[in-house]
Amino acid sequence: MDRMQKIILGLFVVVLLLLTYLEASEPEPINWNPSYTKVDKIPLGGFVLFENLKAHHDSIHVVNIPTYEKLKKDSIAGTYFFLNEMIAFDDAELGHLLQWVEKGNDLFISARYVNKSLLDTLNLEKDEIFTTQNINSKPLIELANPVLKSDKPYFFDRNVYIQAFTKIDTAKTVVLGFTQPYEDEIKMDDPQVNFIQQEFGKGKITIHLAPEAFSNYFILFEENREYTEAALAYIDFEKPLYWDAYKKEGKTFYTSPLYVFLNNEKLKWAYYFTLLGCILFIIFEGKRKQRNIPVVEPPKNQTYNYTRTIAGLYLEKKQYKEIASKKIKLFSEFLRTKLRIESVKLNDAFYTQVASRSGNSVEETKMLFQLISEIEQRQRISKEELLNLSKKINKFKNR
């Protein structure tokens, strides 16, 4: 190695050390990921709520196992409390949970997304609400009960997906609270229901669609804790409360050994310098001792060829309707996963929602769904009609 190479290598090491120092000394960015776990102190964690509940109520039990397993394993009674960005139950789990509520227990859910089977059971429908006058989606929330209601709505100063009930069973449902997107002032002109309660057998089911109202950030922001306290007033704390720690976005404990290293300043620097030493060792020793490594061809992915073969069989037998049906199913999956639209309702509100989320015009959206509806109702279609459907769906998705 000549002198120039040594100088370049020395400069490289100095720059690497400088970048390592700057990266290590840079303040950690705020983590706005929804967690709602009892140990997370991030803005959307549940630490403040859990510690306050534990301080004021003795019968708080943390459940770290699936709901079905807990109800089957232990004979419990009280309130089952779920807090998360999304709460979903499979059919067996939901059936077991509803039987438990019917016996005189309570279910309290605060989540933005609740699985459809539970909503159908309670004859409820929900959807996202937004305003066309403001691109922000910061929610205003308030309670319906005049005793608990404040002088003005409570404000959550972050953009979130605002959910509200679009259909409720008025004979059985008690409205507990409202929401609305923030526009120019903290005032509700068009409140939408986002907090309800229903009698179910001998028990009660309470659903709240704004979990951020129970987060650290919301509770510690101005006087917002008054809303959280009032919302929790609908829980009977005379009975035990079972805090679900299983259906959570964030972890309740850390499994990686790196967490210990990176959260201790001395160990963190030792870890960085160990990595640096390994890099230098590879630079100086790798050329002398490394042997040629034979190239091993990875197994070929035959998925594409398999798909072409199956498609060819359908085309050969002229089963154009079957291909169209599969194409429509894939499009429905695209609506659900990419556009967050779970149910298809062919009306003006639905067309407007799909158009706004996909970047297509309302007229194009309406024409596409009308074409899909016509094809689904027919027993046979031609090859030209299949190609037309495929082109329109691809054009729609590519927007």
Side-chain angles (χ1 to χ4, degrees):
M1 182 180 292
D2 59 24
R3 185 179 177 183
M4 182 57 68
Q5 289 177 325
K6 290 179 179 179
I7 293 174
I8 293 174
L9 180 60
L11 290 174
F12 172 76
V13 172
V14 170
V15 171
L16 184 61
L17 287 173
L18 180 61
L19 291 176
T20 303
Y21 171 75
L22 292 175
E23 180 69 22
S25 60
E26 186 177 325
E28 226 178 285
I30 297 176
N31 181 4
W32 286 99
N33 291 325
S35 164
Y36 302 112
T37 62
K38 63 185 180 65
V39 298
D40 264 337
K41 298 180 182 180
I42 60 176
L44 296 182
F47 177 81
V48 175
L49 173 65
F50 183 80
E51 290 301 314
N52 275 275
L53 288 175
K54 193 170 64 172
H56 294 89
H57 305 286
D58 297 327
S59 299
I60 307 295
H61 306 279
V62 178
V63 181
N64 290 303
I65 58 177
T67 309
Y68 180 85
E69 188 177 334
K70 178 65 177 176
L71 296 178
K72 190 176 181 181
K73 178 181 177 182
D74 300 327
S75 179
I76 62 173
T79 302
Y80 216 131
F81 183 85
F82 292 90
L83 172 64
N84 199 30
E85 186 74 3
M86 178 179 72
I87 296 295
F89 305 101
D90 59 40
D91 293 339
E93 189 177 38
L94 180 59
H96 215 68
L97 185 60
L98 293 178
Q99 289 177 8
W100 182 75
V101 174
E102 282 182 320
K103 295 176 182 177
N105 300 294
D106 297 337
L107 172 62
F108 190 105
I109 296 175
S110 181
R112 202 175 318 283
Y113 304 104
V114 183
N115 60 321
K116 194 171 184 301
S117 53
L118 176 58
L119 297 177
D120 290 342
T121 301
L122 303 178
N123 197 20
L124 301 170
E125 291 182 6
K126 71 174 189 66
D127 202 353
E128 182 181 345
I129 60 173
F130 55 90
T131 173
T132 57
Q133 299 177 358
N134 196 331
I135 61 173
N136 293 326
S137 57
K138 300 176 181 179
L140 299 174
I141 53 177
E142 68 176 0
L143 296 169
N145 190 326
V147 177
L148 302 175
K149 187 177 180 181
S150 63
D151 296 334
K152 62 179 182 178
Y154 297 90
F155 177 53
F156 183 70
D157 188 22
R158 294 293 296 179
N159 288 321
V160 295
Y161 293 108
I162 305 174
Q163 300 285 318
F165 292 104
T166 56
K167 174 189 173 184
I168 61 174
D169 187 343
T170 54
K172 298 180 180 179
T173 306
V174 178
V175 175
L176 304 181
F178 303 96
T179 188
Q180 177 185 312
Y182 170 78
E183 293 184 7
D184 298 323
E185 55 182 333
I186 302 179
K187 177 183 177 182
M188 282 200 178
D189 300 318
D190 184 25
Q192 306 289 321
V193 177
N194 76 327
F195 190 15
I196 62 95
Q197 187 177 81
Q198 272 196 28
E199 300 270 342
F200 197 86
K202 296 180 182 179
K204 292 178 295 187
I205 297 177
T206 307
I207 300 180
H208 183 269
L209 298 181
E212 62 273 4
F214 299 99
S215 67
N216 300 329
Y217 180 78
F218 183 88
I219 294 174
L220 299 177
F221 185 79
E222 297 182 350
E223 300 299 323
N224 284 354
R225 66 180 181 278
E226 296 176 0
Y227 175 91
T228 307
E229 291 172 355
L232 292 174
Y234 290 101
I235 297 177
D236 183 4
F237 286 102
E238 297 291 327
K239 301 187 290 186
L241 184 138
Y242 296 90
W243 171 286
D244 171 72
Y246 184 79
K247 294 181 180 292
K248 286 286 189 290
E249 299 287 338
K251 292 184 179 180
T252 56
F253 57 91
Y254 296 95
T255 57
S256 174
L258 283 179
Y259 175 76
V260 178
F261 280 92
L262 298 180
N263 278 273
N264 182 292
E265 192 68 22
K266 295 179 180 178
L267 291 176
K268 179 170 67 174
W269 277 102
Y271 174 70
Y272 287 151
F273 279 110
T274 301
L275 289 179
L276 179 61
C278 292
I279 293 172
L280 293 176
F281 177 82
I282 293 170
I283 292 173
F284 288 105
E285 296 292 327
K287 287 185 178 180
R288 297 180 183 177
K289 298 182 178 180
Q290 183 176 346
R291 296 179 179 178
N292 291 332
I293 301 173
V295 177
V296 179
E297 293 291 338
K300 292 184 178 179
N301 188 345
Q302 298 295 335
T303 305
Y304 177 70
N305 291 333
Y306 173 77
T307 305
R308 287 190 61 184
T309 302
I310 297 300
L313 290 174
Y314 277 112
L315 289 172
E316 185 178 343
K317 294 183 179 181
K318 298 184 179 181
Q319 295 178 339
Y320 305 128
K321 176 60 188 297
E322 286 74 5
I323 300 176
S325 298
K326 295 185 183 299
K327 189 78 176 177
I328 292 170
K329 286 181 180 179
L330 289 173
F331 182 63
S332 299
E333 182 69 12
F334 168 80
L335 293 178
R336 186 180 68 81
T337 57
K338 299 296 183 183
L339 302 187
R340 300 283 187 179
I341 299 175
E342 296 183 0
S343 58
V344 175
K345 295 182 178 179
L346 302 182
N347 53 40
D348 291 339
F350 172 77
Y351 295 139
T352 303
Q353 183 186 29
V354 174
S356 64
R357 295 190 186 184
S358 64
N360 290 276
S361 67
V362 176
E363 188 62 29
E364 289 174 333
T365 303
K366 189 173 182 181
M367 290 175 62
L368 175 59
F369 279 95
Q370 286 175 351
L371 176 61
I372 290 174
S373 178
E374 291 174 4
I375 289 177
E376 285 180 328
Q377 293 173 7
R378 295 173 57 181
Q379 296 294 327
R380 295 176 178 277
I381 63 172
S382 66
K383 184 177 181 180
E384 289 73 19
E385 291 172 320
L386 172 62
L387 291 173
N388 182 44
L389 172 66
S390 180
K391 288 179 180 178
K392 289 186 179 300
I393 289 178
N394 291 336
K395 181 181 177 183
F396 184 89
K397 290 165 68 176
N398 289 335
R399 286 288 179 84

